[in-house]
Amino acid sequence: MAPGSQPTAPMPTTDTPREDVIGVLDHRLHDRLLEPTTVFPGHYLKLSDGEHSYLLELKRANNHVGRSIHADVVFDDARVSRRHAIILINDSEARVLDDRSASGTYVNDERTMASDLADGDVITFGPINVTYTQIR
C-alpha cells in the first residue's frame, strides 16, 4: 500500500478504462502536450491516445483535475467529477487528494483520499488512467 493510503475496496470494474485519454482532454490543453523526448526536469502526467504517449506538465503547486472548465487538467467525460482531485507539487514531492469525487480517485488500483506519488504511479479518475512521471 502506498504511504498515506487508506485500505479501501478494490477499484470497480464497471467502467472500462479509456484507451484515448487525449481525446477527452480539453482542447485548450492540447498545445501543452509534450513529446517525452523534449521535456525538462519537473512533474508530469503521461497521457495516451492509444498509440502515442505525451506528457502534460503540472506547472502549479495545486493542480485541480476534473470536468470543470476551471480545473487545471480538464477531462470531458461525465464519469469524471467536476472537481475530481487535486495534485499537490512541492519541490521533489507530489501528492494526490480526492476532491470528494463521485467515482473516487485511485493510485495503482487502490482507492485513496490522499496518497504520496512516486514516478510511474498510475492515477485513475473515473475511466481515465494517467501515469505520474517525475523527470529529475
Side-chain angles (χ1 to χ4, degrees), residues 7 12 14 39 62 65 85 97 100 103 105 125-126 130:
T14 56
V39 296
N62 299 324
V65 178
L97 309 173
R100 301 177 310 256
S103 60
T105 299
F125 314 107
V130 299

Side-chain angles (χ1 to χ4, degrees), residues 23-71:
V24 293
L25 182 69
D26 187 84
H27 70 279
R28 292 170 292 184
L29 297 175
H30 284 215
D31 63 339
R32 288 184 38 205
L33 293 175
L34 303 168
E35 294 283 341
T37 56
T38 62
V39 296
F40 296 99
H43 302 268
Y44 299 88
L45 293 180
K46 185 189 296 184
L47 312 167
S48 174
D49 65 3
E51 205 171 302
H52 300 96
S53 291
Y54 301 92
L55 297 176
L56 179 67
E57 185 174 12
L58 298 170
K59 294 184 172 188
R60 299 176 177 220
N62 299 324
N63 298 274
H64 294 263
V65 178
R67 206 173 69 242
S68 168
I69 61 168
H70 301 293

Side-chain angles (χ1 to χ4, degrees), residues 55-111:
L55 297 176
L56 179 67
E57 185 174 12
L58 298 170
K59 294 184 172 188
R60 299 176 177 220
N62 299 324
N63 298 274
H64 294 263
V65 178
R67 206 173 69 242
S68 168
I69 61 168
H70 301 293
D72 301 298
V73 180
V74 180
F75 293 110
D76 186 22
D77 186 298
R79 296 167 291 179
V80 175
S81 295
R82 284 182 178 86
R83 294 176 44 177
H84 201 102
I86 303 167
I87 300 174
L88 306 173
I89 304 297
N90 183 6
D91 296 323
S92 64
E93 298 175 350
R95 186 168 179 81
V96 65
L97 309 173
D98 185 75
D99 198 8
R100 301 177 310 256
S101 67
S103 60
T105 299
Y106 294 79
V107 175
N108 299 326
D109 294 333
E110 289 186 32
R111 189 168 186 159

